[in-house]
Amino acid sequence: MAWWNPFKQPEKEPAAPDHAAPAAAKTAASPKGPPSHEPEIPKELADSPLAKGMMAKFYRMWKNPSFLQQLRIMSAHMAKDGVDIKSTAAVKAWLEKNKADIEAGKYKDPPPGAAAQQTFVKTGPDVGRNDPCPCGSGKKYKKCCAAKA
């Protein structure tokens, strides 16, 4: 007995005869299963188990706060040097240029001119939905100013 697997990709059907052409056109227009949540690996690394292992390691490290802090420090150094962080080619070029300094541990601290992160400070108490409206109307906030916003 075959079990139903919701994650299995549908198999391609054999070519239909000419009298079934409209049905074949309908199936060709339908999507080919759920979208993949895996990021695309470059063609030259697609069959490499090492590349897939590196992607898995990166996603495991993404939850580590010290790794995230190091990424922020590196991006601050790149911004200080005028690198467009959204450009993969520019980031790769900067990494290649500064490879020796990175391995030597030069980029452990933020650059001297970088702005420190600022803590958000609330100026007043939050207003709940069922609290009296701060405008002074006497109504609940959800019935007064929240409804207007």
Side-chain angles (χ1 to χ4, degrees):
M1 178 175 173
W3 292 95
W4 177 71
N5 184 353
F7 301 108
K8 184 177 179 183
Q9 295 290 332
E11 296 178 12
K12 292 186 177 182
E13 296 179 14
D18 289 338
H19 65 277
K26 289 179 186 176
T27 59
S30 66
K32 296 182 179 181
S36 175
H37 296 289
E38 282 187 29
E40 253 186 66
I41 296 176
K43 294 176 187 173
E44 61 271 7
L45 301 174
D47 296 328
S48 170
L50 179 64
K52 291 180 182 176
M54 291 295 287
M55 291 295 287
K57 184 176 181 180
F58 176 77
Y59 285 121
R60 281 193 305 274
M61 292 293 292
W62 192 256
K63 297 177 183 177
N64 185 347
S66 62
F67 178 71
L68 293 175
Q69 181 64 26
Q70 187 62 36
L71 284 178
R72 287 186 194 104
I73 290 170
M74 295 294 285
S75 67
H77 281 284
M78 288 181 206
K80 182 181 142 246
D81 292 343
V83 176
D84 179 19
I85 297 173
K86 294 181 180 180
S87 169
T88 305
V91 170
K92 283 182 182 179
W94 187 88
L95 289 172
E96 286 297 321
K97 184 177 110 180
N98 298 308
K99 187 174 185 178
D101 293 338
I102 293 169
E103 290 174 355
K106 180 182 173 188
Y107 297 111
K108 295 286 183 191
D109 298 318
Q117 290 183 348
Q118 295 184 1
T119 306
F120 177 76
V121 180
K122 291 183 181 180
T123 57
D126 288 338
V127 179
R129 283 178 44 86
N130 291 318
D131 292 342
C133 191
C135 73
S137 66
K139 297 181 179 179
K140 288 186 179 182
Y141 178 69
K142 67 182 179 184
K143 295 282 187 173
C144 186
C145 292
K148 296 174 188 173

